[in-house]
Each structure stands twice: as structure tokens, then as C-alpha cells.
């Protein structure tokens, strides 16, 4: 069968022309694993084909070629939909339990209800939570405005579920669970496009479906899962835009008398790619991310740089002699216009509920305390909003009060300090030696998945630097944009659950590593020329061992998720069983 391993698509954006001697620096890097670009045709380098199972697999399964073709076509969407269905069942199972406002739901559930009902957040009484849980029909939305420190999009989305299903735990968690399920579907499709393999795409989605942190955040009315959804959607839109732009370049390049696509410096440096709708969609998604939580701005910057470098690689592959200059002339300004202004406009529109009312917090600041000054030519609502945002910025950068579950971003990747969202001790538990049962919702990733991701990130960085694999660079960019900015705020009170933003990219990293473990299959052509494909006994033995190791790793991750299921869902378990799951002292 054909290869699903990452080696099949390496070095598409860079490398010397086939047949020429590699540069001396490349020769020196060979000892670290650097490989020159395979002799793949230009069309395949610009728009790589998707891998397909070979005829041998279908013969073993007794499936006829016509049926095999239909199955391959069906699997492109059928596989991801099946994975998403399983993820959805897990996330919606007893979604209303615990019947409580757990952790920061006490803020976002109430703010969302106020937004849906009156367009701005209210100043809720401190003792209102019990009444909400007992009889939400008796709860009145406070008219006085409340001071909130996050933009409104995430709360509008949470409020949408409350609008349809009521001011209940199920209602305020519903839309977050929907986005959590859809993000699994998106990652399957993103992984398929990234690796050109339906199998690896579905594997990435499966890993996300059984990640504990993503699972808990999908069942909790907090903003970070909403942020993650828009970030992942933006990444997917940029991937589609990348393929779209490269197809345009391939269509414009000349073809020789033998029908072979040839590079052309004139086309590669001067072709205008025109309107790029998927880049506009990415700008919209990044704006919605920014309008959910401000750290979406760092994602915008990281993804903006990434997509420009993709354009450089595309024009270089098409034959541009000066690809950076070509991108500067043809692509940089359109890329900026499609992302940054679109994101900013989206952010402003998200505040419409606050703008159209005269009761929002700081809404009338420009007419009262903010009268006069050099900016009076701006609309009052805009000056008031700017003042509000400045006050929120001051709050965030000075948030240094200690918290039991705060953690340093250095510890996130190894799950050093998770966050307990809900805890309840139940006496009279016959199954427990101590007579007590414990209920907990612990925001923690599936340990074996995250610890495998530590090795996978090293592999991704190695592959990006020494193999110049653009996919590894894209994965590294997603992790870095969601993780590294938090290192700038060492004194700020921050939590592990912020890491849910880059969990999909950790799953992609582990998938890429597993693809390498599986190794290439039997075949011919450019991969065999590099020695990546072998048909001898040693090659088959290596692939068999790799498949066994990869399968064991995936099964262990799934088992680990099942083992921790009780402390992801708040299921009562004997006190001793709960302690057995506290693998590290810092988890208590």
C-alpha cells in the first residue's frame, strides 16, 4: 500500500533543483538527518496528491476495485464524520452534570445570559448562584452594568445555548460542546489536508477526541474552548488558501512539449493571485478569536507570518529567483488587508450590543469623565470603548493575586499543575474502604498523550529545521503562537487550561510522529530513489514493528483517557480510586 508517512511530502517548498549537487551546508547537515528534496514533478510539489491505499490492501480484504474507489471517496468525509460522531456522544453524555456553576462558569454563564437578554453584561449579586441552580425562572437580569474583562463573542456563543435550552448547566454548556465536537471534525479534515492522508487526518481527530483537557473544556462554559475553535478554523482556512494559491500558480506555469510542467521566473514573480476568499475567511476567524480573548492577537501575528512564508515557498517552487521580493510586491499588502483590517472590524462589530445601549459599563465615559482632549473628533462610543479596553488591559497585566491552581507555562506541557473545576466528597460510600466517595472535574490533558507530545515536538522541530518540512513548521507555529506569549507574563496569574488553544497542534505533532513510526510502504518512483521505500524483508520488518509500536501508543492513549474518565466527568468513585489517579502530588 502507498505510504501515509510524513516522508512522502517532505521538502516541497524549498531545496535545490533535482539533479544538481546540494549546497555544502546541506551536505554538512546530512549527519543530522537533512535530506534533499525528492525528484518529484513540479506539479506534485506545488499541489501534492492525496495518498490512497494500494491494490494489495483491497485484495486482502476481498473488495473489488470499483467498490474500493467508492470507499476511498466516502472515507474523505465519512471517516472524519464518524470520529466527530464518537466525540460528540462523549461530550454530550450527561452534559448537565455536575448541576453546578463550576469554576469560572459563575462569571461567563451569567454574563452570557445578560448579553442575550439585554445586550450588555449586568452586575450580578454575589449570592445569586444558588437561586440560578434551584429555580432560574425567578432570576432577574440586573439592569446595572457589570465590569467584565473579556470581549463578548465567546459569551454571545454561550448565551445562544442558554437562549434555546434555558438558564441551566446544559444550556450554558451546550454551544461549547457543539464547538468542541466540530473542532474534532475540523482537525480530521485539517490533518487530512496537511498530511495528504485520510488515515492520519482521522488519527489526529481521534487523539483530540480523547484528550482530557479538550474534553473537559468542551463540557464547561468557559471562553478558551471557543477561542481554540476559531484559531483552528483560521488555520484550516489558511491551509485551503495555500492549496488554492499553489493551484493558481501551477495553472499559470508553462508546459513543455512532453506535457511536463516547468518553472518560470516571470510567472512566479509577477502573477497576481487576485481575491483569496479563504484568506478573508481566516481573517474573519482570527477576528472572532481576538473578540473572544485578547491572546487571539498573538495567533493573528503568528499565522500572518506563516501564510506569508508559505507564499514565499510557493513562488520559489514555481521558479521565482527573488521570491521574497516577489511576495513583497504581489502578496504582502493583500495578505495584510485580508487579515488585520478584517480582524479589527470583526472585533468592533462584536461590541454592537454594548454600542447600541447607553447602559453598558463605561458606555458614557466620553460624555462624562472623558470630555475634552485631542480625540474629540472620534465618535463618543469609540472613545468610550478605547478607555474601557485600556482599563481591561491594566487589569490583565496587573493580575498577580495568587491562586491555588495557578501554574507557570513551563509546566503546562508536562501537566505540572492541573485545575480542579469541581470537587465534592460524598459520605456513605459502600464501595470505599474509608466510606467516602469523591467527585471531581479536573482540567488536565490525557497524560500519555501530552507526554508523547513532548517527544513529538522535538521531532517536529528537528524535521522543520533539518528536513525543511513546511508541515512541521506549521505545527510548530500553532503551538508557539498559543503557548510562548504566556512566558511574557511570568508574574501574572495563569492556568493550565489556557493551553487548550494549542492542543490540536499537539495532536498534529503526535500524528506526524506516528506517521514516521509507521514508515513508508512498498512502492516505486521518487521515494524509492531516496531509499524511503523498500520492498525487501528488512523494510517490511521495519514497517511491521513501526505499525505495532504506533498501534500500542494509540491504544495506550485511549486507555489512559478511559481510565481518567471519572475525574473528567465528575463521576463518583471511591476515595482510594480517586487517589490512584493522582499520579503526581501537584495534581491534588
Amino acid at each position: 500500500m502507498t505510504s501515509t508517512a510524513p516522508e512522502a511530502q517532505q521538502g516541497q517548498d524549498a531545496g535545490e533543483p533535482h539533479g544538481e549537487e546540494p549546497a555544502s551546508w546541506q551536505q554538512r547537515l546530512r549527519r543530522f538527518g537533512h535530506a534533499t528534496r525528492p525528484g518529484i514533478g513540479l506539479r506534485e510539489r506545488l499541489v501534492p496528491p492525496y495518498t490512497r491505499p494500494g491494490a494489495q490492501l483491497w485484495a486482502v480484504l476481498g473488495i473489488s476495485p470499483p467498490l474500493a474507489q467508492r470507499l476511498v471517496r466516502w472515507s474523505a468525509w465519512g471517516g472524519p464524520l464518524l470520529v466527530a460522531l464518537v466525540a460528540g456522544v462523549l461530550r454530550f453524555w450527561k452534559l448537565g452534570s455536575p448541576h453546578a456553576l463550576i469554576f469560572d462558569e459563575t462569571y461567563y454563564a451569567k454574563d452570557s445570559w445578560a448579553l442575550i437578554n439585554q445586550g450588555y453584561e449586568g452586575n450580578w449579586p454575589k449570592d445569586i448562584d444558588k437561586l440560578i441552580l434551584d429555580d432560574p425562572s425567578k432570576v432577574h437580569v440586573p439592569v446595572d452594568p457589570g465590569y467584565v474583562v473579556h470581549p463578548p463573542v465567546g459569551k454571545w456563543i454561550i448565551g445562544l445555548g442558554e437562549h434555546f435550552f434555558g438558564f441551566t448547566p446544559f444550556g450554558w454548556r451546550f454551544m461549547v460542546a457543539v464547538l468542541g465536537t466540530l473542532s474534532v471534525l475540523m482537525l480530521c479534515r485539517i490533518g487530512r489536508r496537511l498530511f495528504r492522508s485520510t488515515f492520519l487526518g482521522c488519527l489526529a481527530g481521534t487523539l483530540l477526541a480523547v484528550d482530557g483537557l479538550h474534553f473537559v473544556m468542551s463540557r464547561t462554559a468557559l471562553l478558551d474552548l471557543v477561542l481554540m475553535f476559531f484559531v483552528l478554523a483560521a488555520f484550516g482556512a489558511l491551509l485551503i488558501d495555500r492549496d488554492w494559491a499553489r493551484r493558481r500558480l501551477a495553472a499559470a506555469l508553462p508546459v513543455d512539449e512532453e506535457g511536463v510542467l516547468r518553472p518560470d521566473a516571470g510567472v512566479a514573480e509577477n502573477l497576481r493571485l487576485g481575491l483569496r476568499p479563504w484568506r478573508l475567511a481566516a481573517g474573519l476567524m482570527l477576528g472572532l478569536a481576538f473578540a473572544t480573548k485578547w491572546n487571539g492577537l498573538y495567533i493573528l501575528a503568528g499565522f500572518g507570518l506563516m501564510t506569508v512564508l508559505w507564499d514565499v515557498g510557493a513562488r520559489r517552487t514555481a521558479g521565482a529567483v527573488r521570491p521574497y521580493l516577489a511576495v513583497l510586491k504581489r502578496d504582502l499588502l493583500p495578505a495584510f488587508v485580508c487579515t488585520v483590517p478584517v480582524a479589527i472590524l470583526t472585533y468592533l462589530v462584536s461590541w454592537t450590543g454594548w454600542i447600541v445601549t447607553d447602559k453598558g459599563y463605561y458606555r458614557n465615559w466620553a460624555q462624562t469623565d472623558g470630555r475634552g482632549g485631542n480625540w474629540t473628533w472620534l465618535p463618543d462610543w469609540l472613545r468610550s470603548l478605547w478607555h474601557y479596553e485600556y482599563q481591561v488591559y491594566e487589569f490583565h497585566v496587573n493580575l498577580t493575586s495568587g491562586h491555588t491552581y495557578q501554574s507557570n507555562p513551563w509546566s503546562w506541557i508536562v501537566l505540572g499543575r492541573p485545575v480542579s473545576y469541581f470537587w465534592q466528597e460524598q459520605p456513605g460510600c459502600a464501595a470505599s474502604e474509608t466510606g467516602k466517595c469523591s467527585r471531581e472535574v479536573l482540567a488536565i490533558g490525557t497524560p500519555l498523550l501530552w507526554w508523547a507530545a513532548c517527544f513529538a515536538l522535538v521531532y517536529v522541530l528537528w524535521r522543520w529545521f533539518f528536513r525543511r518540512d513546511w508541515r512541521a513548521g506549521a505545527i510548530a507555529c500553532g503551538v508557539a503562537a498559543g503557548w510562548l506569549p504566556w512566558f511574557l507574563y511570568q508574574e501574572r496569574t495563569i492556568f493550565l487550561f489556557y493551553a487548550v488553544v494549542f492542543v490540536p497542534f499537539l495532536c498534529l505533532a503526535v500524528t506526524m510522529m506516528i506517521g514516521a513510526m509507521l514508515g513508508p510502504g512498498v512502492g516505486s518512483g521518487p521515494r524509492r530513489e531516496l531509499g524511503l521505500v523498500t520492498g525487501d524483508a528488512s523494510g517490511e520488518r521495519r514497517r511491521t514493528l513501526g505499525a505495532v509500536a504506533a498501534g500500542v501508543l494509540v491504544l495506550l492513549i485511549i486507555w489512559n483517557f478511559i481510565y481518567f474518565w471519572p475525574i473528567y466527568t465528575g463521576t463518583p468513585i471511591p476515595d482510594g480510586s480517586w487517589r490512584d489517579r493522582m499520579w503526581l502530588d501537584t495534581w491534588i
Side-chain angles (χ1 to χ4, degrees):
M1 63 185 288
T2 54
S3 171
T4 57
E7 282 82 352
Q9 304 296 335
Q10 68 181 15
Q12 296 162 10
D13 284 349
E16 67 288 340
H18 180 57
E20 294 184 8
E21 286 297 319
S24 58
W25 68 270
Q26 292 171 321
Q27 293 176 332
R28 289 194 296 270
L29 287 178
R30 278 179 174 173
R31 71 185 69 177
F32 300 105
H34 173 79
T36 55
R37 192 196 66 241
I40 302 174
L42 179 58
R43 190 180 302 278
E44 287 72 25
R45 289 169 55 207
L46 282 171
V47 188
Y50 287 85
T51 59
R52 293 174 177 269
Q56 291 180 346
L57 174 64
W58 304 122
V60 170
L61 297 176
I63 297 175
S64 64
L67 178 58
Q69 291 298 321
R70 288 196 294 271
L71 287 175
V72 169
R73 288 195 297 270
W74 171 86
S75 66
W77 274 102
L81 285 172
L82 182 61
V83 174
L85 176 63
V86 173
V89 170
L90 293 175
R91 279 149 180 77
F92 279 93
W93 182 84
K94 293 186 177 180
L95 183 61
S97 177
H99 185 76
L101 286 155
I102 62 176
F103 204 65
D104 281 352
E105 282 187 342
T106 187
Y107 304 115
Y108 303 127
K110 292 181 289 191
D111 287 342
S112 301
W113 184 247
L115 275 176
I116 287 293
N117 283 278
Q118 62 188 18
Y120 64 93
E121 296 91 338
N123 184 21
W124 292 88
K126 292 183 178 181
D127 57 351
I128 197 68
D129 288 9
K130 188 177 186 302
L131 180 60
I132 292 173
L133 296 170
D134 290 343
D135 189 356
S137 63
K138 295 181 179 179
V139 176
H140 301 288
V141 179
V143 177
D144 293 337
Y147 175 65
V148 295
V149 295
H150 290 297
V153 162
K155 288 168 283 187
W156 279 111
I157 290 173
I158 293 171
L160 187 62
E162 294 174 328
H163 174 73
F164 288 110
F165 298 101
F167 197 23
T168 65
F170 182 86
W172 59 66
R173 294 170 191 161
F174 177 81
M175 283 305 300
V176 184
V178 169
L179 297 190
T181 303
L182 290 178
S183 65
V184 172
L185 175 62
M186 282 197 303
L187 191 65
C188 288
R189 294 288 298 178
I190 286 170
R192 179 179 183 271
R193 184 175 292 271
L194 190 68
F195 301 121
R196 288 312 202 248
S197 166
T198 300
F199 169 74
L200 290 182
C202 290
L203 175 59
T206 300
L207 294 177
L208 186 63
V210 298
D211 174 63
L213 183 61
H214 185 274
F215 176 77
V216 171
M217 296 299 290
S218 297
R219 293 167 53 88
T220 311
L222 270 64
L223 303 181
D224 299 84
L225 192 283
V226 181
L227 170 64
M228 181 280 304
F229 175 84
F230 289 128
V231 169
L232 187 60
F235 184 79
L238 290 175
L239 270 182
I240 299 174
D241 172 75
R242 180 183 185 275
D243 283 352
W244 180 90
R246 293 169 80 91
R247 280 196 297 269
R248 288 287 302 271
L249 277 170
L253 290 173
V255 178
D256 64 16
E257 58 276 6
E258 297 179 356
V260 177
L261 197 69
R262 295 298 181 187
D264 185 281
V267 172
E269 294 183 358
N270 297 303
L271 179 68
R272 294 184 181 275
L273 296 174
L275 181 66
R276 298 170 67 164
W278 284 105
R279 188 172 268 176
L280 280 169
L284 174 62
M285 292 299 105
L286 290 168
L288 291 171
F290 172 35
T292 300
K293 290 189 79 171
W294 278 3
N295 46 319
L297 273 176
Y298 293 107
I299 312 290
L300 171 62
F303 283 7
L305 176 61
M306 178 183 69
T307 189
V308 169
L309 291 178
W310 284 354
D311 285 342
V312 171
R315 291 190 181 272
R316 178 192 289 121
T317 301
V321 178
R322 293 172 293 182
Y324 286 95
L325 182 60
V327 168
L328 180 63
K329 290 181 177 179
R330 306 298 181 194
D331 300 320
L332 190 60
L333 181 59
F336 176 84
V337 171
C338 287
T339 52
V340 177
V342 171
I344 293 175
L345 180 61
T346 302
Y347 183 85
L348 290 176
V349 171
S350 74
W351 283 90
T352 299
W354 180 88
I355 293 171
V356 299
T357 184
D358 60 352
K359 295 182 180 179
Y361 204 86
Y362 280 133
R363 177 61 184 86
N364 299 310
W365 176 86
Q367 294 100 319
T368 56
D369 296 342
R371 287 180 298 177
N374 298 324
W375 300 95
T376 53
W377 54 275
L378 290 174
D380 287 343
W381 67 265
L382 184 57
R383 293 198 299 127
S384 295
L385 180 60
W386 179 264
H387 177 74
Y388 193 174
E389 303 293 74
Y390 178 76
Q391 296 300 317
V392 169
Y393 172 78
E394 289 288 308
F395 168 84
H396 282 303
V397 298
N398 294 308
L399 182 61
T400 57
S401 57
H403 194 284
T404 304
Y405 294 108
Q406 72 181 67
S407 59
N408 192 287
W410 285 108
S411 69
W412 290 356
I413 194 66
V414 294
L415 303 176
R417 182 58 171 164
V419 183
S420 181
Y421 284 173
F422 173 82
W423 165 264
Q424 187 180 70
E425 191 173 70
Q426 296 183 339
C429 182
S432 173
E433 294 180 359
T434 63
K436 297 178 181 179
C437 273
S438 300
R439 291 186 68 194
E440 183 174 31
V441 176
L442 188 66
I444 184 174
T446 302
L448 293 185
L449 173 59
W450 281 63
W451 295 341
C454 296
F455 296 97
L457 287 177
V458 174
Y459 171 73
V460 162
L461 292 174
W462 169 81
R463 190 169 186 86
W464 176 37
F465 188 78
F466 292 111
R467 294 287 182 93
R468 293 188 296 167
D469 190 324
W470 71 271
R471 299 160 310 156
I475 295 170
C477 178
V479 175
W483 185 18
L484 295 185
W486 291 109
F487 289 89
L488 301 175
Y489 304 100
Q490 291 288 311
E491 301 301 323
R492 190 184 184 278
T493 307
I494 52 181
F495 303 92
L496 170 66
F497 65 81
Y498 296 169
V500 73
V501 175
F502 61 84
V503 165
F505 301 96
L506 294 182
C507 295
L508 288 173
V510 174
T511 300
M512 193 172 199
M513 182 179 70
I514 289 175
M517 292 168 63
L518 289 172
V522 178
S524 60
R527 299 187 191 114
R528 184 178 293 281
E529 293 173 11
L530 287 184
L532 296 176
V533 178
T534 56
D536 56 15
S538 62
E540 287 300 308
R541 189 180 308 112
R542 176 257 179 269
R543 184 167 175 80
T544 300
L545 291 174
V548 170
V552 169
L553 175 60
V554 173
L555 290 175
L556 284 175
I557 290 171
I558 294 173
W559 164 82
N560 201 202
F561 173 76
I562 296 172
Y563 179 71
F564 279 90
W565 172 271
I567 62 172
Y568 293 145
T569 59
T571 302
I573 55 176
D575 186 64
S577 298
W578 173 81
R579 290 190 176 277
D580 289 342
R581 287 163 174 80
M582 298 297 105
W583 288 0
L584 301 177
D585 292 340
T586 55
W587 292 4
I588 300 176

